[in-house]
């Protein structure tokens, strides 16, 4: 049986629902954590692709990349290529970049004016899903969900 976990990652909304315990330092770390994790998952390329060219280039040029698996992209030029591809095709699939056993696909969640406000992703077990099956079975549903949410974003 194929199973996946859906998750949404916000762009520009770093307000947590509850203030975490552990002092102001913990609060600052928590606010940065979702974007940091999103960068090695499929939403990361989609979110960064939505930035204006000059902002995107500055961000990629100054970001410090961390490796989570041997497949994690840590070179700026390679990440920039992934971002360009994600922007061109309107989605991104990442395989094994955060966890060797997971593959994810993400599409942009845009507002009524066409501005990317978040990314919607589905993460599945790599051994259960081939890339072509993800593109054939999950991508159309993910795109339809994103389009259906557009009027309320």
């Amino acid at each position: 049986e194929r199973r996946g976990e859906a998750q949404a990652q916000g762009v520009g909304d770093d307000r947590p629902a509850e203030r975490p315990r552990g002092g102001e330092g913990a609060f600052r770390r928590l606010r940065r954590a979702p974007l940091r994790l999103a960068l090695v998952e499929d939403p990361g390329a989609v979110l960064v692709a939505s930035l204006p060219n000059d902002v995107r280039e500055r961000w990629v040029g100054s970001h410090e990349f961390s490796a989570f698996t041997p497949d994690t992209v840590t070179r700026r030029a390679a990440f920039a290529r992934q971002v360009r591809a994600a922007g061109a095709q309107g989605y991104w699939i990442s395989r094994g970049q955060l966890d060797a056993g997971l593959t994810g696909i993400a599409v942009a969640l845009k507002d009524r004016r066409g501005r990317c406000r978040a990314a919607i992703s589905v993460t599945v077990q790599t051994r259960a899903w081939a890339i072509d099956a993800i593109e054939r079975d999950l991508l159309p549903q993910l795109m339809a969900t994103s389009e259906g949410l557009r009027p309320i974003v």
Side-chain angles (χ1 to χ4, degrees):
E1 180 178 315
R2 297 177 182 177
R3 295 186 146 185
E5 298 175 16
Q7 62 179 317
Q9 304 261 333
V11 174
D13 184 6
D14 58 4
R15 295 168 290 159
E18 259 182 53
R19 187 178 181 94
R21 299 174 199 253
E24 190 62 31
F27 180 65
R28 273 191 237 109
R29 284 191 302 276
L30 180 63
R31 287 176 52 190
R32 288 191 306 263
L35 183 57
R36 183 178 178 97
L37 289 177
L39 296 175
V40 298
E41 294 177 345
D42 35 289
V46 170
L47 295 172
V48 176
S50 72
L51 297 172
N53 289 339
D54 59 328
V55 175
R56 181 176 56 235
E57 288 175 19
R58 263 194 326 273
W59 187 91
V60 171
S62 65
H63 185 71
E64 293 183 31
F65 295 89
S66 300
F68 295 93
T69 73
D71 293 325
T72 303
V73 173
T74 57
R75 292 188 345 239
R76 286 182 176 88
F79 183 75
R81 282 192 300 277
Q82 287 186 349
V83 167
R84 284 191 297 275
Q89 64 191 18
Y91 69 95
W92 188 247
I93 295 175
S94 91
R95 191 172 209 108
Q97 290 200 42
L98 182 61
D99 183 299
L102 299 178
T103 297
I105 182 169
V107 300
L109 179 59
K110 296 179 180 180
D111 65 16
R112 289 170 285 200
R113 295 183 180 156
R115 296 175 299 191
C116 179
R117 295 299 183 179
I120 302 173
S121 69
V122 175
T123 303
V124 296
Q125 292 183 357
T126 299
R127 63 179 153 74
W129 285 85
I131 296 292
D132 63 332
I134 291 171
E135 290 175 324
R136 182 189 64 239
D137 299 336
L138 299 179
L139 178 59
Q141 293 179 54
L142 206 50
M143 290 182 140
T145 300
S146 176
E147 193 59 34
L149 291 170
R150 193 170 178 171
I152 62 172
V153 174

